[in-house]
Amino acid sequence: MAEHGQESASYAAAGDLEEMELVHPRTFIGKYIWSQDAKVIAIQYGLTAMAIGLVALVLSILMRLQLGFPGVFSLIDPSSYLQYVSMHGMIMVVYLLTALFLGGFGNYLIPLMCGTRDMAFPYLNMLSFWFYLVSVLILVAGFFVPGGATGAGWTLYPPQAISPGTPGADGGVLLMFVSLIVFIAGFTMGGLNYIVTVLQARAQGMTLMRLPLTIWGIFMATVMALLAFPALLVAVLMMMCDMLLGTSFFMPEMLTLGEQSAHEGGSPLLFQHLFWFFGHPEVYIVALPAFGIVSDILATHARKNIFGYRMMVWAIIIIGVLSFVVWAHHMFVSGMNPYFGFLFATTTLIIAVPTAIKVYNWVLTLWKGNIHLTVPMLFAIGFIFTFVNGGLSGLFLGNVTVDVPLADTYFVVGHFHMVMAVAPVLVVFGAIYHWYPKITGRMLDDTLGKIHFWVTFLGAYAIFYPMHFLGFAGVPRRYYAYGETGYIADSVQALNAFISVAAIIVALTQLIFFFNLVWSYYRGRESGPNPWQATTLEWQTAHTPPRHGNFGERLPVVYRWAYDYGVPGAKQDYLPQNMPPEEVEAASDDAEADGEVRP
Amino acid sequence: MTISLVFLAVLMLVFGGWLFSHSINVRPWEAQSEATPAEGITNRASHLPLYFTAARVGLVVFLAVVTAVFALTISAYLMRMEMGPDWRPLPTPGLLWLNTASLVLGSVALQRAWAAAKKGNDQVLRRCLMLGGGLTIAFILGQGVVWWQLHDAGYYLAGNPANAFFFLMTALHALHLLGGLVAWGRTLRKVQRGASAVEVRASVELCALYWHFLLLVWAILFALVLST
Amino acid sequence: MAIAIAVIVLALGSILFFFFSPWSLTPLASNWGAIDDTIHITLWVTGAVFVAVNLFLAYVIIRYRYHKQRRSHYEPENKKLEAWLTGLTTIGIAGLLAPGLLVWGSFVSPPEEAHEVEVVGQQWHWSFRFPGEDGRFGAVHNRHISDDNPFGMIDDPAGQDDVLVESPRLVLPVDRPVRMVLRSKDVLHNFKVANFRAKMDMLPGQTSYFWFTPTEVGEYEIVCAQLCGIAHFAMRGRVEVVEEEAFEEWLAGQPTHAELAAREPPDPQAGEGHYATCAACHGREGQGNPDLNAPKLAGLEGWYLERQLELFRNGARGTHDDDTFGQQMRPFAASLPDRQAVTDIAAYIEALPDEPVEASLTGNAERGARLYRTCGSCHGNEGQGIRATNAPRLAGMPDWYLARQLQNFREGVRGRHSEDPYGNQMVDMAQMLVNEQAVDDVVAYIMTLPRAGQVLAAVNPSGEEE
């Protein structure tokens, strides 16, 4: 298998390349700990993100236990409940999804898919991971300081976040700030790498319009993250000044526990503007890589070219750009000048157009395809269904008037979990089932994979779909208990119990996934270099798993886009990107080289 | 937020335009038998003109990130200024002009160092490099003195948002310079250990570009403080 | 195949769930039917798209499932189709947006004739202010807020006739538009009444607003919809929508700022006279008598005693069937002739010397300390009681009494009455004590807190405001 593809495809001669100097360590520590190999860094990122993600998963179960069965668990008091809420949110959004998509998949796939040996700045790339790890450790330390982790919500709104009486206002929130700063510094190092590698180090012939959509998604998400995280950085720095140095950027005159505070004249709204200037692009930082990856999974497993590739690329770009001018739709009922509502509702709904186009194109990619219902494909279809649901509920919240009664209710919780939690996580799973063979050389177990998919997909829908209805009924979010609220029917409690049970089942099912990951690593069926018969460059490596330096002696040369499946006139079902037109075998007499098909 | 949005708009226009030129009239599904690089591009990989080395592109991307940080800070400054009636501008110590002058000279010195590195003039390179760094250290120390003067005159950090923003912005700027000084220090050490001009040329160039950028940032911040 | 069926079942099931689930919008009680209309338009449009896209998806999965003989159709682009889809989507989006913006236009512009009510949020309490005769609010500032001046009124002629409603109970006239002016004393809050649809955040240091017209007479629950700390979920209040005359009558019964300022200070001397009856059970020095189930009174704040006596008097406390001892207290409280007597007696008790009490229960104080974190947010970390959060002193009170009351709150024996908002809050908060052991633990911890005879000196001598 090692030599697969060498004959049938084209590789650039070693001599005419500007070779990178790679650090080839010999020791175990050098190879797997202080590694500068993007693939090892990717796995380090991935494992760390999954570990911290498990913490957040446990937190969510604790929350569900309280909501489903209030007054049963003495461990959970109002402060700890809010701490679970806050830490769950922050971990899932930033430390799991952002890190996993960009640090994990980005690191693994960018050099391989672009056809280069490694990232542009491997040393910086390594530092990026270590910064990330430190930021995770600082974050977790928050649980162990007196007062515990912050309980101000993941949005960290002042004055609450730093005023006495809020859980974690003594130390936990400070650790959160420091952790975020370290994370942002680390991410910037990684992000520089992803951008420069995509711009600078693509293989010969790999034009921008031949890049797989995965790369486009990750690239645009990185661009956005690099421009959006500074907003969080500035906001956090200013809040730290308010907290430690007594400035009043965000802190107004106010009372805390009946006492006058020392602050004067600050504006809590200013923080919200800065936060959501980061926070909204952050949603798409998580979504765009998922969009990209799912496009590639759909095309590969449906054996069909992606429909409307250029439109897809431009949709990614337009979504990315527009996401910077919609932030205040999180603030329709924040007390800001209400006239902003007109502007931001309009921009927000405009963003639905390119997003809808992506959905159409995914479905049209399946149209007239030859759909293999493999596990990655199941996850991809699950993603489309979930994303359509979450995207449509976004039309409620983005439309300013509709948002008013629904803001801060469980409708919001249902919406954002559907669109930026379940949907991207389904893609993460699909991607892991898809690329695991390349990473380890073995297939993940199919049966376990299917069980995992069905429980996760149906279970997640059972958790989050009913939440929308709680929102219609006006059930507010971030409540420790509902007690006897006049307008909330008793049946709401029953529904909450149902949701909690579903959540526990889904959470436990993830154990099957982790078991599968470990078991298949040792016992899984050997996959060969290209089990899915995919066209992109990572499947054309000389070795599986690819060694340090990714490709063999010579780097691949690219002749075609990433979606040559079922090309008319070609005998092969798929044409790898590095297959020269001369090697395409004609299927029949009137066969022509590909590229003749016109829309 | 206008400032930040304008910055983003410009950035995205450039990016979008560049991408547009790469995607218009391109039929991505057409294979080519010869992987022909576009005109004027000789580097096999980059599809960018040779001039854009990885380090240069990296620096430009990083500068975009730093610009975002300062643009957002300035946005916050302007928004906060409008929001509260409690804004009391603080005086501009004369020392700031002196500091500005030393940063300008530092930038000039590094520019000359870069020129010397290109010509291979080790002597001039070393002298200019040291001068540039020294002037920058003088600038940072000078900023410290300004802080101390303001504090002495009763313009405390927590006293007024105008003060707080002044301290925050100068601190952020000085921090970025300190980061630059680390890179400068490493370059200087190489030079001191006898590295030739050719070897350090790329590093000196990055330093010089970074310094010019931070000088520009300082000019904008200073103008902002002076005008409000 | 299974996935296609799943997609069909889920898509149609979601629609059926919408029609048949018992959870839907609360009954509308304001003029914002237009908001409901926008919700319904969005529901219909998105529901149709949801079903259409997913059914098509399921069809495609079934029709084009893997077949050995087939090769997929190669079609990189179809400009016409893409243009159509983009165009249709844009029209659909515009169709959703237009009504939204239209309604928002009226949402942001309150009618001229609207009257104004100011809502003041604080951790975890609502209070209200009406502009009074002159129709103008007096100036306020958070800096001026103190126990004596909970609204932060600045000396302003326009503020003298402002009507101050300190308890979290608001009365509004039906069919009259009202502009709610919102502000906060501390962190962010959000004034939400689900039936009115409209809501808005409340910010410290600035005001925000929204408007609506109550259209249905009735009583509605106010909840806080912006995370405001650990008792966020217990920050409740009530709005009663009544006929115009009833509203005027109620409003006239509320004190103005000037009236409150002019109120006579209480007379402890007179209070001493009234206290004679109490002394039989509670003891001459207010030290309490566990044998008679009479708690200690000495050391409690005047405002708290006053509030509880009032609750007993008007039947908001001591009327629950299971509250035997509360029932015993009621007739004594009812025998007090008037409000003044209540104030006087409270002032007298407040001045009694505070003697330490003996612990009588065994709980685990260490575990209790963790539980007490939550209590401390209102009652103070030392259990000293905080006037601003309406939370009485706990330190130095007898443990048997604290434990019994916590049990009563847990079981809803005390605090459930709709006239007892602070009791309501305690009922909510006491839910975190999951069993008797937890109650004993937290009480054991309270017993370790310094008995605050010292703190008493700080009590505000005038102490007369409600």
Side-chain angles (χ1 to χ4, degrees), chain C residues 146-203:
Chain C
S146 65
D147 286 354
D148 291 336
N149 186 5
F151 284 81
M153 307 285 289
I154 301 174
D155 208 12
D156 178 358
Q160 292 304 315
D161 64 346
D162 285 4
V163 178
L164 306 182
V165 183
E166 253 211 90
S167 66
R169 191 178 177 84
L170 174 67
V171 177
L172 287 176
V174 69
D175 292 331
R176 198 162 124 201
V178 54
R179 183 173 183 269
M180 310 295 279
V181 182
L182 311 167
R183 69 183 165 105
S184 165
K185 291 186 193 175
D186 37 48
V187 302
L188 307 179
H189 301 281
N190 185 313
F191 181 89
K192 164 173 174 164
V193 176
N195 309 66
F196 295 159
R197 300 294 184 265
K199 67 164 175 269
M200 195 54 73
D201 274 9
M202 318 170 67
L203 298 142

XYZ file of all heavy atoms in Angstrom, chain C residues 146-203:
459
model
N -29.578 54.740 48.980
C -29.181 54.257 50.296
C -30.400 53.593 50.901
O -31.464 53.569 50.290
C -28.721 55.413 51.177
O -29.819 56.263 51.423
N -30.248 53.060 52.116
C -31.397 52.422 52.765
C -32.544 53.407 52.940
O -33.710 53.041 52.874
C -30.989 51.857 54.119
C -30.162 50.597 53.948
O -30.034 50.134 52.794
O -29.643 50.085 54.947
N -32.199 54.666 53.157
C -33.241 55.669 53.344
C -33.811 56.152 52.027
O -34.883 56.741 51.984
C -32.660 56.906 54.062
C -32.307 56.556 55.483
O -32.896 55.591 55.997
O -31.432 57.225 56.049
N -33.072 55.977 50.983
C -33.454 56.527 49.688
C -33.295 55.443 48.628
O -32.410 55.510 47.780
C -32.547 57.737 49.387
C -32.972 58.446 48.117
O -33.988 58.118 47.504
N -32.175 59.413 47.707
N -34.151 54.417 48.706
C -33.927 53.258 47.833
C -34.080 53.569 46.347
O -33.614 52.820 45.513
C -34.982 52.251 48.298
C -35.996 53.032 49.032
C -35.311 54.234 49.584
N -34.721 54.671 46.005
C -34.877 55.013 44.597
C -33.763 55.928 44.099
O -33.712 56.252 42.925
C -36.236 55.677 44.354
C -37.379 54.684 44.355
C -37.928 54.244 45.540
C -37.868 54.181 43.167
C -38.958 53.320 45.543
C -38.900 53.254 43.168
C -39.448 52.823 44.358
N -32.894 56.365 44.996
C -31.821 57.263 44.588
C -32.335 58.623 44.151
O -31.797 59.234 43.221
N -33.407 59.131 44.805
C -33.980 60.424 44.420
C -32.995 61.544 44.735
O -32.406 61.594 45.813
C -35.279 60.684 45.194
C -36.305 59.580 45.121
S -37.170 59.472 43.568
C -38.185 60.917 43.632
N -32.864 62.437 43.766
C -32.059 63.635 43.984
C -33.026 64.739 44.373
O -34.188 64.709 43.984
C -31.294 64.012 42.705
C -30.397 62.857 42.297
C -30.494 65.285 42.894
C -29.693 63.044 40.985
N -32.556 65.692 45.141
C -33.432 66.780 45.562
C -33.903 67.530 44.318
O -33.159 68.292 43.727
C -32.652 67.715 46.487
C -33.605 68.396 47.444
O -34.765 67.969 47.508
O -33.178 69.357 48.115
N -35.111 67.258 43.901
C -35.605 67.799 42.636
C -37.097 68.051 42.819
O -37.842 67.153 43.202
C -35.370 66.746 41.539
C -35.903 67.195 40.184
O -36.488 68.304 40.108
O -35.742 66.442 39.213
N -37.554 69.279 42.579
C -38.974 69.587 42.792
C -39.887 68.628 42.021
O -40.955 68.261 42.514
C -39.126 71.009 42.248
C -37.778 71.512 41.961
C -36.782 70.424 42.102
N -39.447 68.225 40.827
C -40.291 67.338 40.029
C -40.466 65.988 40.708
O -41.402 65.252 40.402
C -39.679 67.143 38.647
N -39.560 65.661 41.619
C -39.622 64.345 42.245
C -40.507 64.281 43.468
O -40.830 63.197 43.937
N -40.908 65.431 43.993
C -41.646 65.416 45.257
C -42.950 64.631 45.157
O -43.331 63.946 46.095
C -41.951 66.857 45.705
C -40.704 67.644 46.106
C -39.889 66.949 47.195
O -40.444 66.467 48.184
N -38.576 66.871 47.000
N -43.638 64.751 44.025
C -44.933 64.065 43.911
C -44.810 62.698 43.236
O -45.821 62.077 42.924
C -45.929 64.948 43.153
C -45.487 65.184 41.721
O -44.301 64.897 41.417
O -46.297 65.643 40.915
N -43.578 62.247 42.998
C -43.413 60.910 42.406
C -43.956 59.856 43.367
O -43.661 59.882 44.562
C -41.934 60.613 42.138
C -41.415 61.371 40.939
O -42.192 62.174 40.390
O -40.245 61.183 40.571
N -44.738 58.953 42.819
C -45.314 57.897 43.650
C -44.353 56.715 43.665
O -43.955 56.221 42.612
C -46.681 57.460 43.092
C -47.252 56.321 43.928
C -47.635 58.642 43.078
N -43.971 56.318 44.882
C -42.980 55.256 44.999
C -43.648 53.961 45.445
O -44.320 53.920 46.471
C -41.903 55.653 46.008
C -41.220 56.996 45.740
C -40.143 57.259 46.774
C -40.617 57.036 44.353
N -43.454 52.908 44.661
C -44.030 51.609 45.003
C -42.873 50.664 45.267
O -42.184 50.248 44.346
C -44.893 51.071 43.850
C -45.544 49.754 44.256
C -45.940 52.088 43.450
N -42.662 50.356 46.530
C -41.463 49.592 46.842
C -41.630 48.098 46.734
O -40.660 47.377 46.541
C -40.973 49.944 48.245
C -39.737 50.793 48.192
C -38.871 50.535 49.383
O -38.016 49.638 49.291
O -39.057 51.225 50.408
N -42.859 47.631 46.899
C -43.025 46.184 46.830
C -43.175 45.769 45.363
O -43.645 46.555 44.542
C -44.239 45.739 47.629
O -45.400 46.246 47.021
N -42.774 44.546 45.024
C -42.748 44.153 43.613
C -44.138 43.843 43.073
O -44.390 42.759 42.556
C -41.860 42.911 43.614
C -42.011 42.346 44.972
C -42.265 43.486 45.897
N -45.034 44.765 43.190
C -46.404 44.543 42.752
C -46.876 45.807 42.063
O -46.965 46.864 42.672
C -47.250 44.245 43.971
C -48.620 43.743 43.605
C -49.396 43.407 44.871
N -50.728 43.005 44.486
C -51.040 41.783 44.112
N -50.116 40.854 44.106
N -52.259 41.490 43.747
N -47.163 45.682 40.782
C -47.508 46.849 39.986
C -48.956 46.731 39.543
O -49.417 45.646 39.204
C -46.597 46.908 38.754
C -46.895 47.984 37.713
C -46.639 49.361 38.277
C -46.034 47.773 36.478
N -49.666 47.856 39.587
C -51.038 47.868 39.087
C -51.086 48.793 37.875
O -50.513 49.882 37.907
C -52.018 48.341 40.184
C -53.429 48.427 39.626
C -51.975 47.387 41.362
N -51.713 48.339 36.800
C -51.803 49.147 35.586
C -53.260 49.200 35.121
O -53.999 48.227 35.292
C -50.953 48.528 34.475
C -49.441 48.651 34.621
C -48.757 47.910 33.488
C -49.009 50.116 34.640
N -53.650 50.328 34.544
C -55.004 50.423 34.022
C -55.103 49.713 32.679
O -54.175 49.750 31.882
C -55.214 51.926 33.849
C -53.846 52.472 33.624
C -52.899 51.590 34.373
N -56.251 49.092 32.444
C -56.438 48.369 31.205
C -56.664 49.362 30.064
O -57.146 50.478 30.282
C -57.623 47.384 31.351
C -58.943 48.121 31.460
C -57.651 46.375 30.202
N -56.263 48.998 28.863
C -56.519 49.776 27.648
C -55.911 51.170 27.638
O -56.415 52.050 26.937
C -58.038 49.892 27.391
C -58.635 48.548 27.018
O -57.884 47.733 26.439
O -59.809 48.312 27.322
N -54.890 51.387 28.426
C -54.218 52.680 28.343
C -52.758 52.396 28.034
O -52.105 51.672 28.791
C -54.365 53.417 29.679
C -54.101 54.893 29.576
C -54.689 55.594 30.784
N -53.688 56.360 31.469
C -53.774 56.746 32.732
N -54.819 56.417 33.465
N -52.828 57.462 33.264
N -52.237 52.944 26.939
C -50.842 52.642 26.602
C -49.900 53.106 27.699
O -50.114 54.162 28.305
C -50.592 53.408 25.301
C -51.758 54.299 25.111
C -52.878 53.835 25.975
N -48.892 52.328 27.957
C -47.947 52.693 29.010
C -46.533 52.555 28.476
O -46.206 51.609 27.766
C -48.163 51.827 30.274
C -48.126 50.348 29.944
C -47.140 52.156 31.335
N -45.745 53.567 28.804
C -44.336 53.537 28.407
C -43.541 53.140 29.644
O -43.569 53.843 30.653
C -43.913 54.916 27.923
C -42.498 55.015 27.426
C -42.265 56.400 26.822
N -40.939 56.529 26.263
C -39.895 56.970 26.959
N -40.033 57.321 28.214
N -38.709 57.060 26.380
N -42.901 51.990 29.582
C -42.123 51.510 30.709
C -40.707 52.069 30.587
O -40.020 51.825 29.601
C -42.060 49.984 30.719
C -43.393 49.281 30.574
S -44.494 49.578 31.949
C -43.851 48.410 33.135
N -40.294 52.821 31.598
C -38.933 53.343 31.626
C -38.152 52.453 32.575
O -38.563 52.261 33.720
C -38.916 54.798 32.116
C -37.506 55.338 32.100
C -39.833 55.645 31.259
N -37.051 51.911 32.077
C -36.375 50.874 32.855
C -35.001 51.333 33.303
O -34.264 51.961 32.545
C -36.222 49.615 31.997
C -37.474 49.135 31.265
C -37.110 48.100 30.222
C -38.474 48.574 32.251
N -34.677 51.018 34.543
C -33.295 51.223 34.992
C -32.954 50.200 36.042
O -33.829 49.499 36.548
C -33.090 52.644 35.539
C -33.807 52.912 36.839
C -33.592 54.369 37.255
N -34.518 54.771 38.293
C -34.153 54.922 39.575
N -32.915 54.692 39.951
N -35.046 55.292 40.471
N -31.667 50.114 36.350
C -31.229 49.107 37.306
C -30.338 49.747 38.353
O -29.633 50.704 38.067
C -30.473 47.993 36.583
O -29.768 47.209 37.504
N -30.392 49.187 39.555
C -29.514 49.693 40.610
C -28.164 48.999 40.574
O -27.193 49.497 41.113
C -30.126 49.405 41.979
C -31.366 50.183 42.316
C -31.709 49.866 43.768
C -33.106 50.330 44.115
N -33.470 49.919 45.486
N -28.122 47.803 40.000
C -26.849 47.073 40.063
C -26.510 46.425 38.719
O -25.966 47.087 37.858
C -26.868 46.040 41.198
C -28.222 45.381 41.371
O -28.785 44.960 40.355
O -28.714 45.303 42.514
N -26.866 45.172 38.532
C -26.446 44.487 37.306
C -27.564 44.583 36.266
O -28.542 45.296 36.466
C -26.086 43.020 37.597
C -24.995 42.933 38.624
C -27.306 42.243 38.047
N -27.416 43.845 35.163
C -28.448 43.865 34.144
C -29.646 43.032 34.590
O -29.495 42.004 35.239
C -27.913 43.272 32.833
C -26.625 43.859 32.292
C -26.236 43.147 31.003
C -26.762 45.336 32.043
N -30.823 43.496 34.253
C -32.032 42.706 34.454
C -32.859 42.829 33.185
O -32.491 43.563 32.272
C -32.834 43.227 35.648
C -32.064 43.209 36.935
N -31.879 42.079 37.667
C -31.428 44.204 37.610
C -31.166 42.365 38.745
N -30.878 43.639 38.734
N -33.976 42.130 33.150
C -34.871 42.279 32.009
C -36.298 42.129 32.505
O -36.655 41.118 33.108
C -34.554 41.224 30.945
C -35.362 41.414 29.682
O -36.579 41.613 29.736
N -34.708 41.354 28.543
N -37.096 43.164 32.264
C -38.486 43.152 32.704
C -39.312 42.387 31.691
O -39.495 42.828 30.572
C -38.991 44.587 32.829
C -40.421 44.685 33.295
C -40.709 44.731 34.651
C -41.463 44.744 32.397
C -42.021 44.827 35.085
C -42.778 44.842 32.822
C -43.052 44.882 34.182
N -39.793 41.226 32.109
C -40.536 40.400 31.165
C -41.857 39.940 31.766
O -41.888 39.402 32.872
C -39.715 39.172 30.791
C -40.553 38.089 30.123
C -39.720 36.946 29.603
C -40.652 35.858 29.096
N -40.005 34.898 28.253
N -42.925 40.185 31.046
C -44.207 39.567 31.350
C -44.594 38.827 30.076
O -44.844 39.454 29.047
C -45.267 40.615 31.720
C -46.614 39.938 31.939
C -44.845 41.378 32.963
N -44.605 37.498 30.152
C -44.759 36.713 28.924
C -46.012 37.122 28.155
O -45.982 37.232 26.932
C -44.794 35.224 29.263
N -47.091 37.401 28.859
C -48.352 37.688 28.172
C -48.346 39.023 27.439
O -49.164 39.254 26.566
C -49.501 37.688 29.177
C -49.494 36.436 30.028
O -48.563 36.229 30.808
N -50.477 35.591 29.841
N -47.457 39.913 27.825
C -47.405 41.222 27.155
C -46.517 41.185 25.915
O -46.479 42.127 25.146
C -46.879 42.305 28.105
C -47.788 42.577 29.276
C -47.285 43.172 30.422
C -49.128 42.249 29.230
C -48.113 43.425 31.505
C -49.961 42.497 30.315
C -49.452 43.078 31.451
N -45.714 40.126 25.755
C -44.797 39.940 24.626
C -43.591 40.892 24.681
O -42.475 40.467 24.504
C -45.484 40.105 23.262
C -46.626 39.130 23.021
C -46.151 37.694 22.939
N -47.249 36.778 22.621
C -47.958 36.110 23.510
N -47.675 36.242 24.818
N -48.933 35.300 23.156
N -43.824 42.184 24.874
C -42.711 43.130 24.851
C -41.855 42.950 26.093
O -42.348 42.610 27.160
C -43.246 44.550 24.794
N -40.570 43.159 25.932
C -39.671 43.159 27.084
C -38.389 43.895 26.729
O -38.141 44.191 25.560
C -39.368 41.739 27.532
C -38.559 40.890 26.572
C -38.037 39.678 27.338
C -37.311 38.689 26.479
N -38.159 37.645 25.918
N -37.596 44.221 27.742
C -36.373 44.968 27.473
C -35.419 44.805 28.660
O -35.849 44.665 29.784
C -36.698 46.453 27.263
C -35.605 47.286 26.624
S -34.972 46.675 25.052
C -36.322 47.064 23.947
N -34.113 44.855 28.358
C -33.116 44.819 29.426
C -33.131 46.107 30.223
O -33.497 47.169 29.707
C -31.708 44.654 28.836
C -31.353 43.201 28.599
O -32.247 42.347 28.723
O -30.181 42.928 28.302
N -32.692 45.994 31.471
C -32.565 47.166 32.325
C -31.085 47.309 32.644
O -30.428 46.338 32.981
C -33.353 46.950 33.605
C -34.689 46.307 33.304
S -35.557 45.756 34.751
C -35.913 47.290 35.514
N -30.576 48.537 32.507
C -29.151 48.754 32.665
C -28.878 49.733 33.799
O -29.626 50.695 33.968
C -28.571 49.338 31.379
C -28.684 48.472 30.146
C -28.973 49.306 28.929
C -27.410 47.690 29.970
